[in-house]
Amino acid sequence: VENFATTRVITITFSETGVKTSPLPDDITATIEGGHIVINSERSKVGYRVTGTCSNGSLKIYSLKKFRIMLQDLNLTNPAGPAINVQSGKTVYLTLLTGTVNTLCDGATYSAPAIATDGTEEDQKGTFFSEGQIIFNGTGTLNVTSLGGHGICSDDYIRIRSGNINVTALKDGFNTNDKFQIGRTASASPVVKIKADGNGVDCGKGNIIIEAGKISINAGGE
């Protein structure tokens, strides 16, 4: 994750009046409705710097290539579903920028899911959901509250290299299919605090690997 070089950075800025982006290249499109934005990308080595405050907004990304999301003092609530929903099986590198505090929240009731191109319903399992791998780094803070689903969820795996991550969830704090791993970067270890009515960390098929960091779990389940 530390060596993933971005050749183009797109800034996405949320506000209570809507959301806007910096100029987009031809291989990235954005559909905006109020505070909700959907990105479609065919571009490699792209990063999205996401900032601002919105109490009725969301970010959904479709991508054919792996990409980076950089959170910069983002405060984003979606009352009807995930705050961030990555509908891509590619890796998303999630960077918590140094000195920033970022907050994500979903709603207690989710709207009906979108229908994918193959006719199936898209997953929307928590406040931060991704079809692909999520790899965290950076030394900023991420506060995640889930009122309707899991806190942070991947249908692949989640790896935390660094960052301060606080999750409060109605269901599981972290939920993955393939693996959950906490390690460290060369200069920092993660600090993870979980308060969940369900399981603290639920890993469906793979291993839970703890190599470094400070971890606190208060769970109603396992």
Side-chain angles (χ1 to χ4, degrees), residues 32-209:
I32 295 174
E33 184 175 343
H36 302 270
I37 181 170
V38 179
I39 295 287
N40 279 274
S41 174
E42 300 177 0
R43 192 180 186 90
S44 61
K45 297 183 179 180
V46 63
Y48 302 95
R49 186 184 301 272
V50 190
T51 188
T53 297
C54 184
S55 59
N56 187 2
S58 65
L59 170 63
K60 180 184 283 190
I61 296 179
Y62 299 90
S63 181
L64 299 180
K65 308 288 185 179
K66 62 180 68 175
F67 60 94
R68 185 190 295 272
I69 296 176
M70 297 165 283
L71 300 187
Q72 184 177 30
D73 291 319
L74 175 67
N75 191 334
L76 183 61
T77 297
N78 182 6
I84 297 178
N85 188 342
V86 178
Q87 287 294 313
S88 170
K90 303 298 183 180
T91 301
V92 52
Y93 298 102
L94 197 291
T95 300
L96 305 174
L97 295 175
T98 300
T100 68
V101 177
N102 306 278
T103 301
L104 303 175
C105 186
D106 68 354
T109 302
Y110 286 13
S111 298
I115 304 300
T117 54
D118 62 1
T120 61
E121 293 183 347
E122 291 183 354
D123 288 330
Q124 47 177 13
K125 299 177 181 177
T127 302
F128 184 178
F129 172 75
S130 178
E131 289 285 352
Q133 309 97 335
I134 308 171
I135 302 179
F136 288 89
N137 80 326
T139 58
T141 297
L142 175 61
N143 300 313
V144 175
T145 299
S146 184
L147 305 176
H150 304 307
I152 299 174
C153 180
S154 168
D155 271 353
D156 203 293
Y157 70 75
I158 293 173
R159 186 173 183 183
I160 302 174
R161 298 275 285 142
S162 60
N164 303 292
I165 303 175
N166 306 302
V167 180
T168 301
L170 175 71
K171 295 182 179 179
D172 300 335
F174 289 86
N175 184 285
T176 77
N177 275 346
D178 295 341
K179 179 176 70 173
F180 179 83
Q181 184 172 0
I182 295 180
R184 62 171 290 123
T185 65
S187 59
S189 293
V191 178
V192 178
K193 297 180 180 179
I194 303 167
K195 186 177 187 300
D197 290 353
N199 298 325
V201 177
D202 192 316
C203 185
K205 299 176 183 178
N207 295 321
I208 294 175
I209 304 165

